[in-house]
Amino acid sequence: MQFHDFSTYRAFSRLTGLAKNSHDLTAVNGLSPQRMSTFKSSMLGFDFLYGTQRVNADVLTALQELADEAGLVETFIAMKKGAVLNRIEGYESENRQVLHTASRDVFGERPCAPEASARAKAELAKLRVFLDSLEDGRIVNGQGEAFTTMVQVGIGGSDLGPRALCLALQAYRRPGRSVRFIANVDPDDAAEVLRDLDLSTTLFNIVSKSGTTLETRTNEQLIRAALQQAGLDPALHLVAVTGEGGPMDDPSRYLTSLYMYDYIGGRYSATSMVGAVALGFALGYDAVIELLQGAQAMDQAAEEADIRANIPLLMALLGIWNHNFLGHATVAILPYSQALSRFPAHLQQCDMESNGKSVTRAGHLVQWQTGPIVWGEPGTNGQHAFYQLLHQGTEIVPAEFIGFRSSQYGADVEVEGTGSQQKLIANMLAQSLALALGRKDPNPARTFAGNRPSSILIADRLTPRTMGELLAMYEHRIAFQGFCWNINSFDQEGVQLGKVLAGRLLHRMRGDSETADVDPIEETLLREAGLL
Ligand code: G6Q
């Protein structure tokens, strides 16, 4: 596979030219009914409406050319087959395959990466036995009672995706089962979760791919101590999800151990055992399978080369248009679904840790913008908070709305002739129109400039299957962008330096490095902060 620099593509020059006179949504017919119907793509359970993006037919043609020239779909297919894409040419790097898609390529006869899929199947089989044993009483606590709560302990990729999924799908929770999370090394995080728990009926799912993460190791110790203090045997209450053969792979210390593999990056691991255990505990094994089926269907559908028929690819390219050619620095993910309240946080990690890079896959400094700042909160709550800036601020923020035609619980109330779900979704559509069209007013403070880009992703209902589709859709959007920018979206070197410095400060705080190599700046910082 040959990778080229983003700025060398013919389509790059074409798009640079087109951006000088880009589509104005506030012009006469800038947002026509015909445009609204034409600029729509459908894929699996989702419709994607992008008439409110600042694109026209020429821009879409150039974006298609960009996708073709950069070989985005070819690279995606190679990724699924196990190409070693997590590397920087000529430098030390993780040098790994990128096979999160294998964690759900477990249904067909001919998986793309057979070995990785066989491992995923084996772990799913172990999970099923574990969940069945909790169900039929083969696994119970010391008093013979069933476990009712699971606390997942992990951070970063071992927290955000699983937490977002569990919250998104808690409407389908089995009666009497609940899941909580502890991530931060802040002792108050654990204290708050533990204070109301009946430890005797609680399982702790310790999730760490490396088995070495400071926060998770510390919280595991805290939990072991709490269990011992309550007279409970930690080995009967702790489950491990970790790398096989790693420092946490010690079956004698855990009720059961499940594995994940180094070719699945933390932020892409929600469909591996990292997310499946808590989800399976809360919802049951069948729901895990439905989620995986949804993700796998999206993995397959995302091989489509026509950008109008491939939503993740189209989203990636529209994002590039907004970021690189129209110059918008951030993107807001705005789900009109309370269940998706942590999904923007998950995407923030997935996107910013993947595409927040400054060197190409050849180790050269990039000469173009890479990943945008990603943020977001659920609507309508956001409307009463930061939407003021979206409508009238000086920073233009492309918005990605996500919504569902029906609610999860189906419980609704009619007030003034409409239900709450209708109100919710009407608000989402209204925001998209308001951003695009704006409003003229003699009062400048009441003027809305409009011409602010957004798109709408809508499905019937948020179910395990649609959640799987949505998760994979965004994973692929992020990967397609990284391929286009010619960066390695699968390493995270940028998180290392802070960890090293924190380690040095902790040494000093422990008082065990009163030696010559104490850095005067670190020393002063600790003193000035009142910590020495
Ligand atoms: C994600 C990152 C990072 C990782 C955490 C937890 O892609 O690699 O967020 O998930 O640092 O790592 P462990 O699972 O190894 O504890």
Side-chain angles (χ1 to χ4, degrees):
M1 228 171 326
Q2 270 221 314
F3 300 121
H4 298 284
D5 282 351
F6 179 49
S7 57
T8 62
Y9 295 126
R10 283 186 308 279
F12 180 94
S13 313
R14 186 119 191 257
L15 287 160
T16 306
L18 288 166
K20 290 190 183 120
N21 192 16
S22 54
H23 184 80
D24 185 350
L25 294 161
T26 60
V28 179
N29 268 333
L31 190 58
S32 64
Q34 193 222 350
R35 178 185 169 87
M36 304 282 281
S37 305
T38 313
F39 288 175
K40 172 181 173 184
S41 296
S42 301
M43 193 178 190
L44 304 174
F46 283 88
D47 293 318
F48 181 61
L49 310 180
Y50 61 99
T52 42
Q53 290 284 353
R54 296 188 56 199
V55 290
N56 57 21
D58 288 343
V59 172
L60 288 173
T61 304
L63 290 175
Q64 177 75 62
E65 282 167 15
L66 178 61
D68 297 341
E69 239 184 311
L72 301 186
V73 169
E74 285 90 330
T75 310
F76 174 70
I77 294 171
M79 178 189 88
K80 294 205 305 177
K81 289 185 174 162
V84 180
L85 293 178
N86 181 359
R87 70 193 298 256
I88 302 286
E89 206 70 49
Y91 291 89
E92 197 184 316
S93 60
E94 290 188 347
N95 210 14
R96 287 175 187 161
Q97 297 170 296
V98 179
L99 281 175
H100 47 283
T101 46
S103 66
R104 53 252 188 171
D105 194 2
V106 291
F107 303 107
E109 295 287 298
R110 300 177 57 183
C112 292
E115 236 177 87
S117 288
R119 286 199 187 125
K121 268 188 178 176
E123 292 310 303
L124 277 168
K126 277 163 60 184
L127 176 65
R128 183 175 213 164
V129 171
F130 175 62
L131 294 174
D132 284 351
S133 307
L134 289 171
E135 191 64 30
D136 63 20
R138 274 176 291 156
I139 296 182
V140 285
N141 72 1
Q143 295 75 49
E145 299 161 324
F147 289 102
T148 57
T149 305
M150 177 174 275
V151 178
Q152 174 142 336
V153 180
I155 196 163
S158 295
D159 168 61
L160 287 158
R163 196 192 292 245
L165 294 184
C166 283
L167 274 174
L169 299 173
Q170 63 180 349
Y172 307 97
R173 204 157 39 94
R174 308 182 58 167
R177 291 267 175 100
S178 66
V179 174
R180 309 282 304 271
F181 291 85
I182 298 173
N184 207 330
V185 75
D186 180 345
D188 289 341
D189 190 10
E192 175 56 29
V193 172
L194 297 184
R195 68 190 272 185
D196 298 324
L197 282 185
D198 178 354
L199 291 181
S200 70
T201 53
T202 301
L203 284 170
F204 292 89
N205 184 28
I206 315 294
V207 183
S208 178
K209 178 171 123 176
S210 62
T212 59
T213 303
L214 168 84
E215 291 86 346
T216 307
R217 275 191 298 126
T218 307
N219 282 325
E220 178 176 351
Q221 291 316 315
L222 184 148
I223 282 152
R224 285 183 181 274
L227 287 165
Q228 273 157 353
Q229 220 174 11
L232 300 164
D233 178 0
L236 300 180
H237 287 259
L238 263 63
V239 174
V241 177
T242 192
E244 194 170 9
M248 247 177 72
D249 184 10
D250 178 358
S252 69
R253 289 166 59 80
Y254 300 96
L255 182 60
T256 188
S257 292
L258 293 136
Y259 297 128
M260 57 107 61
Y261 295 91
D262 66 1
Y263 46 70
I264 300 183
R267 56 195 174 274
Y268 294 94
S269 67
T271 52
S272 74
M273 286 304 120
V274 169
V277 175
L279 209 58
F281 180 82
L283 273 63
Y285 182 77
D286 290 349
V288 173
I289 294 300
E290 281 171 40
L291 177 99
L292 298 186
Q293 283 169 337
Q296 207 263 333
M298 185 56 66
D299 298 343
Q300 262 179 337
E303 290 188 10
E304 169 62 52
D306 176 356
I307 65 168
R308 288 172 178 261
N310 183 341
I311 297 177
L313 181 58
L314 181 55
M315 285 166 76
L317 293 160
L318 291 172
I320 286 174
W321 171 247
N322 284 327
H323 188 52
N324 295 95
F325 298 99
L326 300 187
H328 304 316
T330 89
V331 56
I333 314 272
L334 305 168
Y336 276 65
S337 158
Q338 195 55 34
L340 289 181
S341 60
R342 292 300 287 169
F343 193 53
H346 168 59
L347 295 182
Q348 186 172 60
Q349 175 190 25
C350 210
D351 202 322
M352 293 172 73
E353 206 166 50
S354 296
N355 290 340
K357 307 287 163 65
S358 298
V359 294
T360 67
R361 289 181 278 203
H364 303 137
L365 269 184
V366 293
Q367 305 296 322
W368 50 89
Q369 293 296 114
T370 62
I373 296 162
V374 177
W375 60 285
E377 279 286 324
T380 57
N381 305 19
Q383 289 176 212
H384 298 264
F386 54 81
Y387 277 40
Q388 166 63 38
L389 185 148
L390 301 192
H391 288 289
Q392 290 186 314
T394 50
E395 191 68 46
I396 294 181
V397 181
E400 296 185 4
F401 295 103
I402 305 171
F404 302 92
R405 296 179 190 100
S406 306
S407 67
Q408 288 181 307
Y409 287 94
D412 208 338
V413 58
E414 196 165 301
V415 174
E416 293 168 5
T418 54
S420 296
Q421 183 66 24
Q422 288 176 299
K423 292 182 177 71
L424 180 68
I425 228 65
N427 266 283
M428 179 179 83
L429 302 185
Q431 290 300 324
S432 171
L433 286 179
L435 286 167
L437 295 172
R439 189 183 66 188
K440 291 195 173 61
D441 195 289
N443 179 344
R446 295 199 173 145
T447 297
F448 293 68
N451 204 23
R452 299 186 172 212
S454 69
S455 55
I456 294 170
L457 201 50
I458 188 163
D460 280 342
R461 176 185 255 121
L462 184 57
T463 61
R465 186 174 171 108
T466 45
M467 186 64 237
E469 291 177 16
L470 183 65
L471 177 78
M473 190 184 289
Y474 268 95
E475 286 176 353
H476 304 335
R477 182 193 95 149
I478 292 162
F480 282 134
Q481 290 189 334
F483 299 153
C484 199
W485 288 320
N486 195 22
I487 54 177
N488 178 5
S489 299
F490 307 106
D491 64 2
Q492 54 284 315
E493 299 292 348
V495 301
Q496 299 307 331
L497 178 59
K499 284 191 202 171
V500 172
L501 291 182
R504 288 176 58 89
L505 296 178
L506 283 169
H507 268 295
R508 184 67 191 92
M509 287 167 87
R510 223 167 29 212
D512 60 2
S513 68
E514 290 272 23
T515 58
D517 86 324
V518 170
D519 183 289
I521 295 180
E522 293 166 6
E523 179 86 9
T524 310
L525 180 60
L526 283 168
R527 280 196 201 291
E528 294 302 329
L531 292 165
L532 279 187

